[in-house]
């Protein structure tokens, strides 16, 4: 807002605004901006100070300016002016009064009146306390300007660079991932064929750096990337094992690569690779050992393989939630998806608050939010009743929850680590960090059901008998719910849609939809 008002066009203005944008000096920002756009409003404590304060429109922004004023008005040496600045900053009354006497005495020698000298001294005091070192402000402003430029014009590269800079930080990496996604950037999971050692940008997409996997190590990452650069992409898991030095990479890092999805694009599931990993490594090591010692099959000329192809023993795949839980454990966050993905419809249609909007929430207003439970902590009140505090995580971030005794007694069984819940309640802003006082806990699947408002039924144009129509009608009339019903019929190459009367309201559970689909004459059923 301040930058838009000031419209800086040169570095000096960025430096000044950076120095002013702190508690205290902020009060003088309007004066600075007015001075830029309305020169007639610029006022100098004394005309002789114009060359010192001209660049900041009469406002003492920097410590150096306070010192220059002391030199100009009172004839202080540079060292003496610095001592005065320090005294003003510490606001010790005895020291300050002594310095004031020295300042006035020096000003008198410079030809200023006592009254004018005292007036200038009083003007200097708050600025000396607020003043920022100009060289620091300049350095900060240059860095801020450059990073702002990069974020605006090279967003993927900018976020990738920040992720690389914090590659070992379990706190910062998730923050930058969230920031990148909020900017609309695609951030892909680790991939043995696309990932570099650090975070990189490939075809406009940020690809997770191998060294960002906890426990993988730089040596393993280097080996994987070098062999890929030398001989091309890995064609399969077995091709990977045969090409890399397994001793350099290590069994544990290979396990980590599997668990975080680095082999997902090679066509085999994570549990399949994990359950077969030990046997596959043993197979490859024996094969490499045989080749190393020049063992040649007696049947090689006949086209018979010395080593038959490795056969994987089939293993059931993990559920999406199981995959995400492992990613969270090893990467510190979810990358291939989010446990809340299946509730996106409910979040969009039935909630009116996100964790990043808590500070803007209105006290006393009831809000609904969906998220995952984290960090549950129970306490006993002075009356001996249990209550609890927890954190709720959604797509945007985390917020604090409070469950008072009555609410906790009613819903505590639903509040477990990583449980996805829907909650109703109000925001409490009485503390430094706002919290959400929970009034009601709901099953998000039930809320998902509430978020669906329409059921659509496509039927044959020529229902065979009146009995078929009657059967569908009777079934629908026997249902209760909140969803309107729409019929779709294709006649003469055109699709006609008819809405059932307001008395026909049904549920949209999977069971109901399956029952409707099984009725004669029904082609397709869907909800929206």
């Amino acid at each position: 807002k301040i930058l838009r008002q000031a419209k800086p066009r040169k570095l000096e203005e960025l430096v000044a605004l950076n120095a002013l944008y702190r508690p205290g000096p902020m009060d003088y920002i309007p004066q600075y901006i007015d001075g830029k756009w309305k020169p007639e409003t610029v006022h100098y404590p004394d005309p002789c100070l114009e060359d010192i304060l001209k660049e900041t429109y009469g406002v003492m922004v920097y410590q150096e300016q306070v010192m220059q004023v002391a030199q100009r008005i009172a004839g202080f040496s540079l060292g003496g002016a610095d001592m005065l600045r320090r005294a003003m900053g510490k606001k010790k009354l005895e020291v300050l009064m002594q310095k004031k006497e020295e300042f006035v005495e020096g000003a008198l020698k410079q030809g200023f009146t006592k009254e004018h000298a005292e007036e200038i001294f009083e003007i200097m005091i708050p600025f000396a306390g607020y003043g920022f070192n100009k060289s620091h402000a300049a350095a900060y402003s240059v860095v801020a300007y450059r990073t702002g430029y990069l974020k605006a014009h090279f967003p993927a590269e900018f976020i990738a660079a920040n992720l690389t800079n914090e590659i070992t930080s379990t706190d910062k990496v998730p923050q930058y991932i969230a920031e990148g996604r909020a900017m609309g950037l695609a951030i892909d999971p680790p991939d043995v064929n696309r990932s570099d050692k650090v975070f990189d940008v490939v075809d406009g997409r940020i690809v997770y750096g191998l060294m960002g996997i906890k426990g993988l190590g730089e040596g393993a990452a280097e080996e994987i990337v070098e062999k890929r650069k030398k001989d091309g992409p890995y064609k399969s898991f077995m091709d990977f094992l045969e090409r890399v030095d397994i001793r350099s990479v290590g069994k544990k890092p290979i396990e980590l690569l599997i668990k975080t999805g680095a082999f997902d694009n090679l066509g085999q599931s994570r549990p399949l690779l994990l359950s077969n990993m030990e046997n596959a490594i043993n197979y490859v090591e024996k094969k490499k050992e045989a080749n190393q010692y020049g063992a040649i099959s007696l049947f090689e000329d006949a086209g018979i393989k010395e080593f038959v192809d490795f056969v994987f023993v089939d293993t059931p795949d993990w559920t999406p939630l199981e995959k995400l839980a492992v990613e969270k454990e090893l990467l510190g966050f979810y990358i291939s998806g989010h446990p809340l993905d299946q509730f996106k419809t409910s979040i969009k249609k039935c909630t009116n608050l996100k964790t990043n909007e808590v500070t803007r929430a209105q006290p006393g207003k009831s809000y609904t939010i969906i998220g995952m439970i984290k960090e549950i902590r129970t306490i006993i009140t002075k009356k001996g009743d249990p209550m609890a505090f927890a954190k709720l995580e959604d797509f945007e971030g985390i917020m604090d929850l409070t469950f008072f005794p009555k609410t906790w007694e009613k819903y505590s069984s639903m509040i477990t680590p990583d449980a996805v819940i829907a909650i109703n309640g109000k925001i409490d802003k009485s503390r430094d960090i706002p919290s959400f006082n929970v009034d009601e806990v709901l099953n998000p699947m039930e809320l998902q059901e509430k978020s669906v408002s329409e059921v659509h039924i496509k039927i044959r144009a020529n229902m065979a008998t009146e009995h078929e129509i009657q059967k569908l009608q009777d079934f629908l009339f026997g249902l209760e719910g909140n969803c309107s019903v729409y019929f779709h019929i294709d006649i003469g190459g055109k699709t006609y849609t008819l809405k059932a009367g307001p008395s026909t309201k049904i549920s949209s559970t999977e069971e109901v939809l399956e029952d409707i689909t099984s009725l004669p004459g029904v082609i397709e059923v869907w909800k929206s």
Side-chain angles (χ1 to χ4, degrees), residues 169-360:
S169 171
T170 54
D171 295 328
K172 293 290 183 70
V173 167
Q175 290 178 19
Y176 283 120
I177 292 280
E179 174 72 7
R181 285 178 169 161
M183 292 163 61
L185 300 173
I187 303 177
D188 294 341
D191 185 335
V192 291
N193 278 334
R194 298 174 69 234
S195 292
D196 205 328
K197 283 170 45 181
V198 296
F199 289 86
D200 197 9
V201 179
V202 180
D203 299 327
R205 303 173 71 89
I206 298 173
V207 181
Y208 201 91
L210 294 176
M211 287 173 57
I213 302 172
K214 286 186 275 186
L216 187 73
E218 185 174 2
E222 280 182 356
E223 173 70 9
I224 293 165
V225 174
E226 283 179 11
K227 291 294 167 64
R228 186 183 72 214
K229 288 180 177 177
K230 180 182 176 183
D231 299 314
Y234 300 106
K235 299 178 181 66
S236 65
F237 180 66
M238 296 305 295
D239 179 49
F240 173 86
L241 294 180
E242 289 174 359
R243 286 167 54 184
V244 302
D245 183 344
I246 293 174
R247 290 173 185 165
S248 296
V249 175
K251 290 183 180 180
K252 185 62 178 178
I254 293 173
E255 180 184 333
L256 295 174
L257 288 166
I258 294 170
K259 287 182 174 180
T260 53
F263 296 102
D264 282 4
N265 290 332
L266 296 180
Q268 290 170 307
S269 72
R270 300 180 196 182
L272 177 73
L273 296 181
L274 279 175
S275 61
N276 287 274
M277 184 187 81
E278 195 71 35
N279 289 336
I281 289 175
N282 291 337
Y283 167 89
V284 168
E285 285 182 332
K286 287 179 182 178
K287 190 174 178 181
K288 286 181 179 179
E289 187 178 346
N291 291 335
Q292 181 181 357
Y293 291 106
I296 301 173
S297 170
L298 295 173
F299 306 101
E300 186 177 14
D301 292 339
I304 300 173
K305 294 180 180 179
E306 174 72 19
F307 287 88
V308 296
D309 291 339
F310 181 80
V311 178
F312 286 86
V313 178
D314 200 16
T315 305
D317 198 0
W318 291 337
T319 66
L321 287 180
E322 287 172 331
K323 287 181 182 177
L324 293 173
V326 173
E327 290 177 5
K328 185 68 181 287
E329 177 189 350
L330 297 176
L331 301 177
F333 57 96
Y334 308 108
I335 191 162
S336 65
H338 197 285
L340 297 178
D341 285 342
Q342 60 181 311
F343 303 104
K344 281 184 177 179
T345 301
S346 291
I347 292 171
K348 183 177 181 180
K349 292 188 176 182
C350 297
T351 65
N352 56 356
L353 185 70
K354 298 174 183 176
T355 55
N356 63 340
E357 299 170 341
V358 170
T359 54
R360 298 199 297 269

Side-chain angles (χ1 to χ4, degrees), residues 28 45 49 60 66 69 73 84 88 91 93 96-101 103-104 107 114-130:
Y28 297 95
L49 301 177
M60 290 188 210
V66 174
V69 169
I73 300 296
L84 173 64
M88 287 178 165
K91 295 182 174 65
L93 188 59
L96 203 57
M97 293 310 295
Q98 181 183 343
K99 291 294 180 184
K100 184 176 181 178
E101 288 180 11
F103 183 87
V104 172
K114 179 183 177 184
E115 293 76 13
H116 191 36
E118 289 177 343
E119 179 188 350
I120 293 173
F121 187 87
E122 293 300 323
I123 292 172
M124 291 168 64
I125 292 175
F127 289 109
Y130 295 149

Side-chain angles (χ1 to χ4, degrees), residues 68-87:
Q68 285 177 301
V69 169
Q71 287 181 284
R72 181 70 55 82
I73 300 296
F76 278 24
S77 67
L78 194 58
D82 190 40
M83 295 296 291
L84 173 64
R85 176 194 62 79
R86 292 184 192 181

